Amino acid sequence: MNLKLNQILKKFFFDSSCSICKKEVEDDEIYICKKCREKIEKEKSLHVRKNIYYLFEYKNEIRKLIIDYKLNGRKELSCFISKIIEDEIIKIIRENSIDVVIPIPMSEERFLLRGFNQVELILDNIGINYKKAKRKKETIPMHKILEKDVRKINIKSVFQCDFSVNNKNILIVDDIVTTGTTMLEMIKSLEETGKPKNIYIFAISVAPTFYKKFL
Ligand SMILES: [Zn+2]
């Protein structure tokens, strides 16, 4: 088989379009073309507000990239995303003497659908150790919930941590923070588990709904 035919077949069987501009990528590029790669690198900047760190506003190129990575299951994009965040996240861990890194857990349904946890995969690529928090299962069937119980159930934490957090500096990691609800749930669970020293947040991107309200 000559090279040309090989390339034609490859293009036929694999969608090799760029996640961002949708143009065909070169053979040595995986799901992202050079131009878009450079754009993202240029747009990146580390923002710090209180205990929250983030690299991008969730819009334009980074939004397209994360959507393609997560929703279209383009797992290979994790290599590029890892490279973008690597230096900054390592610096944050070092400077804040982080003891425990916790990625936000996915729901079981989403995990089954996607087959991978997008944040864990990125941390694995960089070689960062982390502890897994669990998402609690809803034990009471919805139709059995009485009006008076609703509040009680809502204030119960969603996550569960089976490890010590006492006197530890903790870094919670997520790809996008939209409303901040999940982050608050995670913080609540940590505070229910023990007495952490400091809790920091690292998000690859933050949606305007969040930073306009909180940052
Ligand atoms: Zn592109």
Side-chain angles (χ1 to χ4, degrees), residues 107-168:
S107 72
E108 208 171 318
E109 301 82 60
R110 251 186 252 169
F111 181 77
L112 289 174
L113 207 69
R114 198 175 298 155
F116 64 97
N117 175 311
Q118 73 277 7
V119 180
E120 286 176 13
L121 196 58
I122 291 167
L123 295 175
D124 285 337
N125 284 344
I126 305 175
I128 295 172
N129 292 323
Y130 52 84
K131 295 259 193 253
K132 287 188 191 190
K134 284 182 205 145
R135 220 173 246 273
K136 280 185 200 164
K137 275 199 183 127
E138 188 56 74
T139 45
I140 311 160
M142 283 312 281
H143 64 273
K144 287 195 179 161
I145 297 175
L146 299 168
E147 190 69 34
K148 66 177 175 65
D149 291 329
V150 170
R151 224 193 103 230
K152 224 191 290 174
I153 289 158
N154 283 342
I155 57 165
K156 254 174 62 184
S157 54
V158 178
F159 302 110
Q160 190 184 334
C161 307
D162 299 331
F163 46 84
S164 166
V165 298
N166 281 336
N167 213 22
K168 300 254 164 73

Side-chain angles (χ1 to χ4, degrees), residues 5-31:
L5 181 60
N6 197 352
Q7 282 171 350
I8 292 167
L9 283 174
K10 201 179 133 206
K11 288 208 163 75
F12 183 77
F13 286 109
F14 301 101
D15 171 19
S16 54
S17 61
C18 170
S19 294
I20 295 164
C21 68
K22 305 294 170 203
K23 284 183 191 148
E24 279 296 306
V25 296
E26 300 290 325
D27 283 343
D28 60 339
E29 300 165 338
I30 301 166
Y31 295 143

Side-chain angles (χ1 to χ4, degrees), residues 65-202:
L65 183 73
I66 292 178
I67 287 177
D68 208 28
Y69 171 50
K70 277 163 66 166
L71 302 185
N72 300 334
R74 281 181 150 184
K75 216 173 159 180
E76 292 79 359
L77 282 172
S78 70
C79 297
F80 173 63
I81 303 172
S82 307
K83 277 195 199 116
I84 313 178
I85 72 159
E86 191 171 16
D87 291 349
E88 285 80 5
I89 195 168
I90 288 174
K91 201 172 152 229
I92 292 163
I93 291 173
R94 210 180 35 224
E95 284 180 356
N96 297 300
S97 311
I98 297 296
D99 303 298
V100 185
V101 175
I102 308 171
I104 291 284
M106 296 163 79
S107 72
E108 208 171 318
E109 301 82 60
R110 251 186 252 169
F111 181 77
L112 289 174
L113 207 69
R114 198 175 298 155
F116 64 97
N117 175 311
Q118 73 277 7
V119 180
E120 286 176 13
L121 196 58
I122 291 167
L123 295 175
D124 285 337
N125 284 344
I126 305 175
I128 295 172
N129 292 323
Y130 52 84
K131 295 259 193 253
K132 287 188 191 190
K134 284 182 205 145
R135 220 173 246 273
K136 280 185 200 164
K137 275 199 183 127
E138 188 56 74
T139 45
I140 311 160
M142 283 312 281
H143 64 273
K144 287 195 179 161
I145 297 175
L146 299 168
E147 190 69 34
K148 66 177 175 65
D149 291 329
V150 170
R151 224 193 103 230
K152 224 191 290 174
I153 289 158
N154 283 342
I155 57 165
K156 254 174 62 184
S157 54
V158 178
F159 302 110
Q160 190 184 334
C161 307
D162 299 331
F163 46 84
S164 166
V165 298
N166 281 336
N167 213 22
K168 300 254 164 73
N169 286 321
I170 293 172
L171 181 69
I172 308 170
V173 184
D174 208 355
D175 51 355
I176 325 157
V177 176
T178 41
T179 60
T181 317
T182 316
M183 274 298 167
L184 291 175
E185 286 289 355
M186 192 70 229
I187 293 169
K188 199 162 77 183
S189 306
L190 289 169
E191 285 169 346
E192 274 173 16
T193 308
K195 283 193 167 51
K197 198 195 243 170
N198 288 299
I199 300 174
Y200 300 88
I201 290 165
F202 175 80

